[in-house]
Amino acid sequence: MDVPNVIGDWQEYQSDELAGLRVRVHRLKKATPSRGRDDDAKGLTYVSFQVTFENRGSEYYSIDLSEHPEHFEVRAGRDGHEAFVDVYGSSRIKKYNLYPQRRVTAVVYAAATPAMLKQIDIQIAPEIDEDAVFGYHWVGGLGVHEGSTRTTSRASTAKPSVANEVDQFLKGAASDET
């Protein structure tokens, strides 16, 4: 398994069919949907984050990141409990033609208990050109510094954070297997 992305990092799709397409999860913060709180989120704290797709290639792609549970998943806390995702308060990207040198962004609202929001795992698995694509994974949390968008700066150079903990855990798990 590769080291997960830190919230704020860009991730390039590695296939020839998706050349030039990249995605990132960024701007994690406390926020309440403009449409108001969902009754199912009673007693929970809302956060929002943005999912941005950027086309640096020469062809357009049809992007679908909608309310379907298989397109994104949010987990909170050390044990990875499923967070409540407010599909009605969140914006969607529905069969959007993303042309070269353009970006498209969706805002997703999720909720969990305040203690669990210190560690958040987000997986994004959109449909691109009507095909499901591999889901990339980001880690972060409220109060955690958002990752740098430069490829030379990763979690190992940041201040102690959830990303460092994940990196250390993965290194420990790899050494246990040998």
Side-chain angles (χ1 to χ4, degrees):
M1 176 177 160
D2 291 332
V3 175
N5 299 298
V6 177
I7 290 179
D9 286 346
W10 283 100
Q11 179 60 55
E12 301 251 356
Y13 285 96
Q14 300 298 320
S15 69
D16 291 337
E17 296 86 31
L18 301 175
L21 185 63
R22 64 187 196 157
V23 61
R24 81 173 172 160
V25 170
H26 57 109
R27 295 195 181 162
L28 176 67
K29 63 182 180 181
K30 279 187 181 181
T32 303
S34 59
R35 295 179 183 155
R37 296 180 60 85
D38 190 297
D39 291 340
D40 292 337
K42 186 175 184 177
L44 303 177
T45 300
Y46 267 98
V47 294
S48 72
F49 58 88
Q50 294 183 5
V51 180
T52 299
F53 292 89
E54 181 179 66
N55 185 353
R56 302 171 88 189
S58 57
E59 302 292 325
Y60 78 87
Y61 301 104
S62 177
I63 308 290
D64 191 357
L65 182 71
S66 57
E67 68 273 0
H68 300 294
E70 65 270 8
H71 288 180
F72 55 86
E73 188 169 358
V74 180
R75 298 276 174 174
R78 291 183 63 89
D79 294 329
H81 294 284
E82 187 172 13
F84 171 78
V85 176
D86 190 333
V87 295
Y88 299 108
S90 301
S91 63
R92 303 181 258 302
I93 302 171
K94 186 74 173 160
K95 298 187 190 260
Y96 183 82
N97 290 335
L98 183 59
Y99 287 91
Q101 308 307 313
R102 298 287 186 256
R103 289 182 178 178
V104 63
T105 300
V107 178
V108 178
Y109 290 91
T113 61
M116 295 176 86
L117 292 174
K118 293 178 182 173
Q119 182 171 337
I120 298 175
D121 298 293
I122 301 167
Q123 183 170 308
I124 303 298
E127 287 183 17
I128 300 175
D129 293 336
E130 298 185 12
D131 291 326
V133 297
F134 178 77
Y136 287 113
H137 185 221
W138 284 264
V139 296
L142 288 182
V144 175
H145 174 68
E146 187 167 296
S148 171
T149 56
R150 297 180 307 171
T151 57
T152 58
S153 175
R154 294 291 299 189
S156 60
T157 61
K159 294 178 182 176
S161 67
V162 172
N164 282 338
E165 289 179 30
V166 169
D167 190 34
Q168 294 302 317
F169 173 78
L170 292 173
K171 286 179 184 174
S175 65
D176 290 345
E177 292 175 359
T178 57

